[in-house]
Short mmCIF file of all heavy atoms in Angstrom, two decimals:
data_model
loop_
_atom_site.label_atom_id
_atom_site.label_comp_id
_atom_site.label_asym_id
_atom_site.label_seq_id
_atom_site.Cartn_x
_atom_site.Cartn_y
_atom_site.Cartn_z
N ASP A 401 -9.50 15.31 5.66
CA ASP A 401 -9.72 16.74 5.50
C ASP A 401 -8.50 17.33 4.84
O ASP A 401 -7.39 17.14 5.30
CB ASP A 401 -9.85 17.39 6.89
CG ASP A 401 -11.28 17.36 7.38
OD1 ASP A 401 -12.17 17.07 6.58
OD2 ASP A 401 -11.48 17.63 8.57
N LEU A 402 -8.71 18.04 3.77
CA LEU A 402 -7.60 18.65 3.07
C LEU A 402 -7.92 20.12 2.90
O LEU A 402 -8.91 20.47 2.26
CB LEU A 402 -7.44 17.98 1.71
CG LEU A 402 -6.20 18.30 0.91
CD1 LEU A 402 -4.97 18.05 1.74
CD2 LEU A 402 -6.17 17.42 -0.31
N ASP A 403 -7.08 20.96 3.50
CA ASP A 403 -7.33 22.39 3.46
C ASP A 403 -8.74 22.72 3.92
O ASP A 403 -9.41 23.59 3.38
CB ASP A 403 -7.12 22.95 2.04
CG ASP A 403 -5.64 23.00 1.68
OD1 ASP A 403 -4.82 23.01 2.60
OD2 ASP A 403 -5.33 23.00 0.49
N GLY A 404 -9.20 21.96 4.92
CA GLY A 404 -10.52 22.24 5.48
C GLY A 404 -11.66 21.53 4.79
O GLY A 404 -12.71 21.31 5.39
N TRP A 405 -11.47 21.16 3.53
CA TRP A 405 -12.55 20.48 2.83
C TRP A 405 -12.51 19.00 3.18
O TRP A 405 -11.46 18.41 3.33
CB TRP A 405 -12.39 20.61 1.31
CG TRP A 405 -12.32 21.99 0.80
CD1 TRP A 405 -11.23 22.60 0.25
CD2 TRP A 405 -13.38 22.97 0.77
NE1 TRP A 405 -11.54 23.88 -0.14
CE2 TRP A 405 -12.85 24.13 0.17
CE3 TRP A 405 -14.70 22.96 1.18
CZ2 TRP A 405 -13.62 25.28 -0.02
CZ3 TRP A 405 -15.46 24.10 0.99
CH2 TRP A 405 -14.92 25.24 0.39
N ARG A 406 -13.69 18.39 3.22
CA ARG A 406 -13.76 16.96 3.50
C ARG A 406 -13.70 16.21 2.17
O ARG A 406 -14.48 16.45 1.27
CB ARG A 406 -15.10 16.68 4.22
CG ARG A 406 -15.35 15.23 4.54
CD ARG A 406 -14.39 14.73 5.58
NE ARG A 406 -14.44 15.48 6.81
CZ ARG A 406 -15.24 15.19 7.83
NH1 ARG A 406 -16.03 14.16 7.76
NH2 ARG A 406 -15.22 15.93 8.91
N PHE A 407 -12.73 15.30 2.09
CA PHE A 407 -12.58 14.49 0.88
C PHE A 407 -12.98 13.07 1.17
O PHE A 407 -12.64 12.53 2.23
CB PHE A 407 -11.11 14.46 0.44
CG PHE A 407 -10.70 15.60 -0.41
CD1 PHE A 407 -10.72 16.89 0.09
CD2 PHE A 407 -10.26 15.40 -1.70
CE1 PHE A 407 -10.32 17.95 -0.68
CE2 PHE A 407 -9.85 16.46 -2.48
CZ PHE A 407 -9.89 17.73 -1.98
N LEU A 408 -13.67 12.45 0.25
CA LEU A 408 -13.94 11.03 0.38
C LEU A 408 -13.52 10.40 -0.94
O LEU A 408 -13.93 10.87 -2.00
CB LEU A 408 -15.43 10.79 0.61
CG LEU A 408 -15.87 9.33 0.67
CD1 LEU A 408 -15.25 8.64 1.86
CD2 LEU A 408 -17.37 9.24 0.78
N GLY A 409 -12.68 9.37 -0.88
CA GLY A 409 -12.21 8.80 -2.13
C GLY A 409 -12.09 7.31 -2.05
O GLY A 409 -11.88 6.74 -0.97
N THR A 410 -12.22 6.66 -3.19
CA THR A 410 -12.00 5.23 -3.25
C THR A 410 -11.11 4.92 -4.44
O THR A 410 -10.89 5.74 -5.31
CB THR A 410 -13.31 4.44 -3.42
OG1 THR A 410 -13.82 4.69 -4.72
CG2 THR A 410 -14.33 4.83 -2.40
N GLY A 411 -10.64 3.70 -4.45
CA GLY A 411 -9.79 3.27 -5.56
C GLY A 411 -10.58 2.75 -6.73
O GLY A 411 -10.02 2.28 -7.70
N GLY A 412 -11.91 2.79 -6.66
CA GLY A 412 -12.69 2.42 -7.82
C GLY A 412 -13.48 1.13 -7.69
O GLY A 412 -14.41 0.93 -8.47
N GLN A 413 -13.15 0.26 -6.74
CA GLN A 413 -13.86 -1.02 -6.70
C GLN A 413 -15.36 -0.88 -6.44
O GLN A 413 -16.16 -1.54 -7.11
CB GLN A 413 -13.27 -1.95 -5.63
CG GLN A 413 -11.88 -2.43 -5.92
CD GLN A 413 -10.90 -1.76 -5.01
OE1 GLN A 413 -10.93 -0.55 -4.83
NE2 GLN A 413 -10.00 -2.52 -4.43
N PRO A 414 -15.80 -0.04 -5.48
CA PRO A 414 -17.25 0.04 -5.26
C PRO A 414 -17.99 0.54 -6.49
O PRO A 414 -19.05 0.00 -6.85
CB PRO A 414 -17.39 1.03 -4.11
CG PRO A 414 -16.07 1.06 -3.44
CD PRO A 414 -15.07 0.79 -4.50
N LEU A 415 -17.42 1.54 -7.16
CA LEU A 415 -18.13 2.08 -8.31
C LEU A 415 -18.16 1.07 -9.45
O LEU A 415 -19.18 0.92 -10.13
CB LEU A 415 -17.45 3.37 -8.78
CG LEU A 415 -18.16 4.04 -9.95
CD1 LEU A 415 -19.55 4.44 -9.53
CD2 LEU A 415 -17.40 5.26 -10.42
N ASP A 416 -17.06 0.38 -9.64
CA ASP A 416 -17.06 -0.63 -10.70
C ASP A 416 -18.07 -1.71 -10.42
O ASP A 416 -18.69 -2.26 -11.33
CB ASP A 416 -15.66 -1.26 -10.82
CG ASP A 416 -14.64 -0.28 -11.37
OD1 ASP A 416 -15.07 0.70 -12.00
OD2 ASP A 416 -13.44 -0.49 -11.17
N ASP A 417 -18.26 -2.03 -9.16
CA ASP A 417 -19.22 -3.06 -8.84
C ASP A 417 -20.65 -2.58 -9.06
O ASP A 417 -21.49 -3.30 -9.58
CB ASP A 417 -19.03 -3.49 -7.38
CG ASP A 417 -19.39 -4.93 -7.18
OD1 ASP A 417 -18.93 -5.77 -7.99
OD2 ASP A 417 -20.15 -5.22 -6.26
N VAL A 418 -20.93 -1.35 -8.66
CA VAL A 418 -22.26 -0.79 -8.90
C VAL A 418 -22.53 -0.73 -10.39
O VAL A 418 -23.64 -0.98 -10.86
CB VAL A 418 -22.36 0.62 -8.26
CG1 VAL A 418 -23.61 1.33 -8.71
CG2 VAL A 418 -22.33 0.52 -6.77
N TYR A 419 -21.51 -0.45 -11.14
CA TYR A 419 -21.65 -0.38 -12.60
C TYR A 419 -22.17 -1.70 -13.16
O TYR A 419 -22.94 -1.71 -14.11
CB TYR A 419 -20.29 -0.03 -13.19
CG TYR A 419 -20.22 -0.03 -14.68
CD1 TYR A 419 -20.68 1.06 -15.42
CD2 TYR A 419 -19.69 -1.11 -15.37
CE1 TYR A 419 -20.62 1.06 -16.79
CE2 TYR A 419 -19.63 -1.10 -16.75
CZ TYR A 419 -20.09 -0.01 -17.45
OH TYR A 419 -20.02 -0.02 -18.80
N LYS A 420 -21.74 -2.80 -12.54
CA LYS A 420 -22.18 -4.10 -13.07
C LYS A 420 -23.64 -4.38 -12.79
O LYS A 420 -24.25 -5.21 -13.44
CB LYS A 420 -21.33 -5.20 -12.44
CG LYS A 420 -19.92 -5.20 -12.93
CD LYS A 420 -19.15 -6.36 -12.34
CE LYS A 420 -17.68 -6.20 -12.65
NZ LYS A 420 -16.85 -6.97 -11.76
N TYR A 421 -24.19 -3.71 -11.79
CA TYR A 421 -25.58 -3.96 -11.43
C TYR A 421 -26.55 -3.17 -12.28
O TYR A 421 -27.72 -3.52 -12.40
CB TYR A 421 -25.82 -3.53 -9.99
CG TYR A 421 -25.51 -4.58 -8.97
CD1 TYR A 421 -24.21 -4.83 -8.60
CD2 TYR A 421 -26.52 -5.30 -8.38
CE1 TYR A 421 -23.94 -5.78 -7.65
CE2 TYR A 421 -26.25 -6.24 -7.42
CZ TYR A 421 -24.95 -6.47 -7.06
OH TYR A 421 -24.69 -7.41 -6.11
N VAL A 422 -26.05 -2.07 -12.81
CA VAL A 422 -26.95 -1.12 -13.44
C VAL A 422 -26.79 -1.19 -14.94
O VAL A 422 -25.68 -1.37 -15.44
CB VAL A 422 -26.62 0.30 -12.95
CG1 VAL A 422 -27.51 1.31 -13.59
CG2 VAL A 422 -26.74 0.36 -11.46
N SER A 423 -27.87 -1.05 -15.65
CA SER A 423 -27.76 -1.22 -17.09
C SER A 423 -27.30 0.04 -17.81
O SER A 423 -27.10 0.01 -18.99
CB SER A 423 -29.10 -1.68 -17.65
OG SER A 423 -30.13 -0.93 -17.07
N GLY A 424 -27.12 1.13 -17.11
CA GLY A 424 -26.68 2.33 -17.81
C GLY A 424 -25.17 2.44 -17.88
O GLY A 424 -24.44 1.57 -17.46
N GLU A 425 -24.70 3.53 -18.43
CA GLU A 425 -23.27 3.72 -18.59
C GLU A 425 -22.74 4.92 -17.83
O GLU A 425 -21.54 5.13 -17.77
CB GLU A 425 -22.93 3.95 -20.07
CG GLU A 425 -23.29 2.81 -20.98
CD GLU A 425 -22.36 1.64 -20.78
OE1 GLU A 425 -21.18 1.86 -20.54
OE2 GLU A 425 -22.84 0.50 -20.85
N GLU A 426 -23.61 5.70 -17.29
CA GLU A 426 -23.17 6.97 -16.71
C GLU A 426 -22.58 6.74 -15.33
O GLU A 426 -23.30 6.50 -14.37
CB GLU A 426 -24.36 7.92 -16.59
CG GLU A 426 -24.78 8.51 -17.90
CD GLU A 426 -23.75 9.49 -18.41
OE1 GLU A 426 -23.28 10.31 -17.61
OE2 GLU A 426 -23.40 9.41 -19.60
N ARG A 427 -21.27 6.86 -15.23
CA ARG A 427 -20.66 6.60 -13.94
C ARG A 427 -20.88 7.74 -12.97
O ARG A 427 -20.96 7.53 -11.76
CB ARG A 427 -19.17 6.38 -14.13
CG ARG A 427 -18.94 5.04 -14.78
CD ARG A 427 -17.50 4.77 -15.03
NE ARG A 427 -17.36 3.47 -15.67
CZ ARG A 427 -16.91 2.39 -15.06
NH1 ARG A 427 -16.56 2.45 -13.80
NH2 ARG A 427 -16.80 1.24 -15.71
N LEU A 428 -21.00 8.93 -13.46
CA LEU A 428 -21.24 10.04 -12.54
C LEU A 428 -22.58 9.89 -11.86
O LEU A 428 -22.74 10.24 -10.69
CB LEU A 428 -21.20 11.37 -13.30
CG LEU A 428 -19.80 11.92 -13.58
CD1 LEU A 428 -19.93 13.26 -14.25
CD2 LEU A 428 -19.03 12.08 -12.30
N GLU A 429 -23.55 9.36 -12.58
CA GLU A 429 -24.85 9.18 -11.97
C GLU A 429 -24.79 8.12 -10.89
O GLU A 429 -25.44 8.22 -9.86
CB GLU A 429 -25.87 8.78 -13.03
CG GLU A 429 -25.94 9.78 -14.14
CD GLU A 429 -27.33 9.97 -14.67
OE1 GLU A 429 -28.19 9.14 -14.35
OE2 GLU A 429 -27.57 10.93 -15.39
N MET A 430 -23.98 7.11 -11.15
CA MET A 430 -23.83 6.09 -10.12
C MET A 430 -23.14 6.65 -8.90
O MET A 430 -23.48 6.32 -7.77
CB MET A 430 -23.03 4.92 -10.66
CG MET A 430 -23.73 4.22 -11.79
SD MET A 430 -22.70 2.93 -12.43
CE MET A 430 -23.14 2.99 -14.13
N MET A 431 -22.17 7.52 -9.13
CA MET A 431 -21.49 8.13 -7.99
C MET A 431 -22.47 8.99 -7.20
O MET A 431 -22.48 8.99 -5.96
CB MET A 431 -20.34 9.02 -8.48
CG MET A 431 -19.12 8.23 -8.90
SD MET A 431 -17.93 9.23 -9.79
CE MET A 431 -17.28 10.24 -8.50
N GLU A 432 -23.31 9.69 -7.90
CA GLU A 432 -24.29 10.52 -7.21
C GLU A 432 -25.24 9.63 -6.42
O GLU A 432 -25.60 9.92 -5.29
CB GLU A 432 -25.08 11.33 -8.23
CG GLU A 432 -26.07 12.25 -7.55
CD GLU A 432 -27.03 12.85 -8.53
OE1 GLU A 432 -26.87 12.59 -9.74
OE2 GLU A 432 -27.94 13.55 -8.08
N ALA A 433 -25.63 8.52 -7.03
CA ALA A 433 -26.53 7.62 -6.34
C ALA A 433 -25.89 7.08 -5.07
O ALA A 433 -26.54 6.99 -4.02
CB ALA A 433 -26.90 6.46 -7.26
N MET A 434 -24.63 6.76 -5.15
CA MET A 434 -23.96 6.24 -3.96
C MET A 434 -23.93 7.28 -2.85
O MET A 434 -24.06 6.95 -1.68
CB MET A 434 -22.53 5.83 -4.31
CG MET A 434 -22.50 4.48 -4.98
SD MET A 434 -21.01 4.16 -5.88
CE MET A 434 -19.85 3.95 -4.59
N LEU A 435 -23.78 8.53 -3.23
CA LEU A 435 -23.79 9.56 -2.20
C LEU A 435 -25.18 9.71 -1.61
O LEU A 435 -25.35 9.88 -0.42
CB LEU A 435 -23.35 10.90 -2.79
CG LEU A 435 -21.85 11.10 -2.90
CD1 LEU A 435 -21.58 12.45 -3.52
CD2 LEU A 435 -21.20 11.02 -1.55
N ARG A 436 -26.18 9.63 -2.46
CA ARG A 436 -27.53 9.83 -1.94
C ARG A 436 -28.00 8.65 -1.12
O ARG A 436 -28.84 8.77 -0.25
CB ARG A 436 -28.49 10.10 -3.10
CG ARG A 436 -28.17 11.40 -3.75
CD ARG A 436 -29.34 12.01 -4.48
NE ARG A 436 -28.89 13.11 -5.30
CZ ARG A 436 -28.79 14.37 -4.86
NH1 ARG A 436 -29.12 14.67 -3.64
NH2 ARG A 436 -28.33 15.31 -5.66
N TRP A 437 -27.45 7.46 -1.40
CA TRP A 437 -27.76 6.33 -0.53
C TRP A 437 -26.96 6.39 0.74
O TRP A 437 -27.19 5.58 1.64
CB TRP A 437 -27.38 5.01 -1.22
CG TRP A 437 -28.21 4.65 -2.38
CD1 TRP A 437 -29.54 4.86 -2.55
CD2 TRP A 437 -27.76 3.97 -3.54
NE1 TRP A 437 -29.95 4.36 -3.74
CE2 TRP A 437 -28.87 3.81 -4.38
CE3 TRP A 437 -26.53 3.47 -3.95
CZ2 TRP A 437 -28.79 3.18 -5.61
CZ3 TRP A 437 -26.45 2.84 -5.16
CH2 TRP A 437 -27.57 2.71 -5.98
N ARG A 438 -26.04 7.29 0.81
CA ARG A 438 -25.12 7.42 1.94
C ARG A 438 -24.26 6.18 2.13
O ARG A 438 -23.89 5.83 3.24
CB ARG A 438 -25.85 7.68 3.27
CG ARG A 438 -26.62 8.95 3.31
CD ARG A 438 -26.91 9.33 4.72
NE ARG A 438 -27.95 10.34 4.77
CZ ARG A 438 -28.38 10.90 5.89
NH1 ARG A 438 -27.88 10.52 7.05
NH2 ARG A 438 -29.33 11.81 5.84
N LEU A 439 -23.95 5.50 1.07
CA LEU A 439 -23.14 4.29 1.20
C LEU A 439 -21.90 4.38 0.31
O LEU A 439 -22.01 4.60 -0.88
CB LEU A 439 -23.95 3.06 0.78
CG LEU A 439 -25.10 2.72 1.68
CD1 LEU A 439 -25.94 1.64 1.06
CD2 LEU A 439 -24.60 2.26 3.03
N THR A 440 -20.74 4.20 0.94
CA THR A 440 -19.52 4.24 0.14
C THR A 440 -19.38 2.98 -0.71
O THR A 440 -18.83 3.02 -1.78
CB THR A 440 -18.31 4.32 1.07
OG1 THR A 440 -18.63 5.14 2.17
CG2 THR A 440 -17.12 4.87 0.35
N ALA A 441 -19.87 1.87 -0.19
CA ALA A 441 -19.76 0.62 -0.93
C ALA A 441 -21.07 -0.14 -0.75
O ALA A 441 -21.16 -1.03 0.08
CB ALA A 441 -18.58 -0.21 -0.43
N PRO A 442 -22.09 0.22 -1.51
CA PRO A 442 -23.40 -0.39 -1.28
C PRO A 442 -23.44 -1.89 -1.54
O PRO A 442 -24.14 -2.62 -0.86
CB PRO A 442 -24.32 0.36 -2.25
CG PRO A 442 -23.43 1.04 -3.21
CD PRO A 442 -22.13 1.23 -2.56
N THR A 443 -22.67 -2.36 -2.52
CA THR A 443 -22.80 -3.76 -2.88
C THR A 443 -21.99 -4.68 -1.98
O THR A 443 -22.02 -5.89 -2.15
CB THR A 443 -22.36 -3.98 -4.33
OG1 THR A 443 -21.03 -3.46 -4.46
CG2 THR A 443 -23.27 -3.29 -5.28
N ALA A 444 -21.20 -4.10 -1.08
CA ALA A 444 -20.55 -4.95 -0.09
C ALA A 444 -21.59 -5.33 0.94
O ALA A 444 -22.34 -4.47 1.35
CB ALA A 444 -19.41 -4.20 0.56
N PRO A 445 -21.67 -6.51 1.47
CA PRO A 445 -20.86 -7.66 1.14
C PRO A 445 -21.44 -8.58 0.08
O PRO A 445 -21.04 -9.72 -0.02
CB PRO A 445 -20.81 -8.40 2.48
CG PRO A 445 -22.14 -8.12 3.09
CD PRO A 445 -22.56 -6.77 2.61
N ASP A 446 -22.35 -8.12 -0.71
CA ASP A 446 -22.98 -9.05 -1.65
C ASP A 446 -22.03 -9.51 -2.74
O ASP A 446 -21.76 -10.69 -2.89
CB ASP A 446 -24.20 -8.36 -2.28
CG ASP A 446 -25.05 -9.33 -3.06
OD1 ASP A 446 -25.05 -10.52 -2.69
OD2 ASP A 446 -25.68 -8.93 -4.02
N THR A 447 -21.53 -8.60 -3.54
CA THR A 447 -20.59 -9.02 -4.59
C THR A 447 -19.22 -8.39 -4.42
O THR A 447 -18.36 -8.53 -5.25
CB THR A 447 -21.11 -8.61 -5.98
OG1 THR A 447 -21.67 -7.32 -5.88
CG2 THR A 447 -22.15 -9.59 -6.47
N LEU A 448 -19.04 -7.68 -3.34
CA LEU A 448 -17.77 -7.01 -3.10
C LEU A 448 -17.23 -7.54 -1.78
O LEU A 448 -17.91 -7.46 -0.77
CB LEU A 448 -18.01 -5.51 -3.02
CG LEU A 448 -16.88 -4.53 -3.27
CD1 LEU A 448 -16.27 -4.76 -4.61
CD2 LEU A 448 -17.43 -3.13 -3.18
N TRP A 449 -16.03 -8.06 -1.80
CA TRP A 449 -15.48 -8.62 -0.57
C TRP A 449 -15.28 -7.52 0.45
O TRP A 449 -14.78 -6.47 0.14
CB TRP A 449 -14.14 -9.27 -0.86
CG TRP A 449 -14.22 -10.39 -1.80
CD1 TRP A 449 -13.85 -10.40 -3.10
CD2 TRP A 449 -14.72 -11.69 -1.51
NE1 TRP A 449 -14.08 -11.62 -3.65
CE2 TRP A 449 -14.61 -12.45 -2.69
CE3 TRP A 449 -15.24 -12.30 -0.37
CZ2 TRP A 449 -15.01 -13.76 -2.78
CZ3 TRP A 449 -15.63 -13.62 -0.45
CH2 TRP A 449 -15.50 -14.33 -1.65
N CYS A 450 -15.67 -7.81 1.67
CA CYS A 450 -15.45 -6.80 2.69
C CYS A 450 -15.31 -7.44 4.06
O CYS A 450 -15.53 -8.63 4.23
CB CYS A 450 -16.55 -5.76 2.70
SG CYS A 450 -18.02 -6.28 3.53
N TYR A 451 -14.92 -6.64 5.01
CA TYR A 451 -14.72 -7.10 6.36
C TYR A 451 -16.07 -7.19 7.07
O TYR A 451 -16.90 -6.30 6.93
CB TYR A 451 -13.81 -6.12 7.09
CG TYR A 451 -13.64 -6.41 8.56
CD1 TYR A 451 -12.82 -7.44 8.99
CD2 TYR A 451 -14.30 -5.65 9.51
CE1 TYR A 451 -12.67 -7.70 10.33
CE2 TYR A 451 -14.15 -5.91 10.85
CZ TYR A 451 -13.33 -6.94 11.26
OH TYR A 451 -13.19 -7.20 12.58
N PRO A 452 -16.33 -8.25 7.82
CA PRO A 452 -17.64 -8.35 8.47
C PRO A 452 -17.75 -7.44 9.67
O PRO A 452 -17.39 -7.81 10.79
CB PRO A 452 -17.71 -9.83 8.87
CG PRO A 452 -16.30 -10.28 8.97
CD PRO A 452 -15.53 -9.47 7.99
N PHE A 453 -18.23 -6.25 9.46
CA PHE A 453 -18.38 -5.32 10.56
C PHE A 453 -19.46 -5.80 11.50
O PHE A 453 -20.52 -6.23 11.08
CB PHE A 453 -18.76 -3.94 10.03
CG PHE A 453 -17.66 -3.27 9.28
CD1 PHE A 453 -17.68 -3.19 7.91
CD2 PHE A 453 -16.58 -2.74 9.97
CE1 PHE A 453 -16.66 -2.59 7.22
CE2 PHE A 453 -15.54 -2.13 9.28
CZ PHE A 453 -15.59 -2.06 7.90
N GLN A 454 -19.20 -5.66 12.76
CA GLN A 454 -20.14 -6.17 13.74
C GLN A 454 -20.97 -5.05 14.34
O GLN A 454 -22.17 -5.15 14.48
CB GLN A 454 -19.34 -6.87 14.86
CG GLN A 454 -20.18 -7.50 15.91
CD GLN A 454 -20.80 -8.78 15.43
OE1 GLN A 454 -20.42 -9.30 14.40
NE2 GLN A 454 -21.78 -9.27 16.13
N ASP A 455 -20.29 -3.96 14.70
CA ASP A 455 -21.02 -2.95 15.47
C ASP A 455 -21.68 -1.92 14.59
O ASP A 455 -22.58 -1.25 15.01
CB ASP A 455 -20.05 -2.21 16.40
CG ASP A 455 -19.17 -3.18 17.13
OD1 ASP A 455 -19.69 -4.22 17.51
OD2 ASP A 455 -17.98 -2.88 17.30
N GLY A 456 -21.20 -1.72 13.42
CA GLY A 456 -21.79 -0.68 12.61
C GLY A 456 -21.11 -0.73 11.27
O GLY A 456 -19.93 -1.03 11.17
N ASP A 457 -21.87 -0.44 10.26
CA ASP A 457 -21.29 -0.50 8.92
C ASP A 457 -20.43 0.74 8.71
O ASP A 457 -20.92 1.86 8.75
CB ASP A 457 -22.44 -0.54 7.91
CG ASP A 457 -21.94 -0.84 6.52
OD1 ASP A 457 -20.72 -1.04 6.35
OD2 ASP A 457 -22.76 -0.89 5.61
N ALA A 458 -19.15 0.52 8.49
CA ALA A 458 -18.27 1.67 8.30
C ALA A 458 -18.49 2.34 6.96
O ALA A 458 -18.02 3.44 6.73
CB ALA A 458 -16.81 1.24 8.41
N PHE A 459 -19.22 1.67 6.09
CA PHE A 459 -19.42 2.25 4.77
C PHE A 459 -20.58 3.23 4.75
O PHE A 459 -20.85 3.82 3.71
CB PHE A 459 -19.69 1.15 3.75
CG PHE A 459 -18.50 0.28 3.54
CD1 PHE A 459 -18.57 -1.08 3.76
CD2 PHE A 459 -17.29 0.81 3.12
CE1 PHE A 459 -17.47 -1.88 3.57
CE2 PHE A 459 -16.19 0.01 2.94
CZ PHE A 459 -16.28 -1.34 3.15
N VAL A 460 -21.27 3.40 5.86
CA VAL A 460 -22.34 4.40 5.90
C VAL A 460 -21.69 5.76 6.10
O VAL A 460 -20.90 5.95 7.02
CB VAL A 460 -23.31 4.08 7.05
CG1 VAL A 460 -24.27 5.21 7.28
CG2 VAL A 460 -24.06 2.81 6.75
N MET A 461 -22.04 6.69 5.24
CA MET A 461 -21.44 8.02 5.35
C MET A 461 -22.13 8.79 6.44
O MET A 461 -23.35 8.95 6.43
CB MET A 461 -21.64 8.78 4.03
CG MET A 461 -20.82 8.28 2.91
SD MET A 461 -21.15 9.34 1.50
CE MET A 461 -21.00 8.16 0.20
#
Side-chain angles (χ1 to χ4, degrees):
Chain A
D401 273 347
L402 190 54
D403 287 338
W405 303 112
R406 179 67 58 90
F407 275 64
L408 176 65
T410 69
Q413 292 107 313
L415 183 62
D416 290 340
D417 211 48
V418 169
Y419 175 80
K420 290 184 190 160
Y421 273 79
V422 179
S423 44
E425 299 288 324
E426 285 290 315
R427 288 178 181 254
L428 279 184
E429 303 217 346
M430 296 177 214
M431 283 168 72
E432 183 192 357
M434 280 161 71
L435 278 179
R436 294 204 191 272
W437 291 325
R438 297 199 196 182
L439 293 171
T440 323
T443 55
D446 191 29
T447 40
L448 202 56
W449 298 104
C450 80
Y451 174 76
F453 291 105
Q454 183 76 13
D455 314 321
D457 190 1
F459 294 122
V460 170
M461 289 183 214

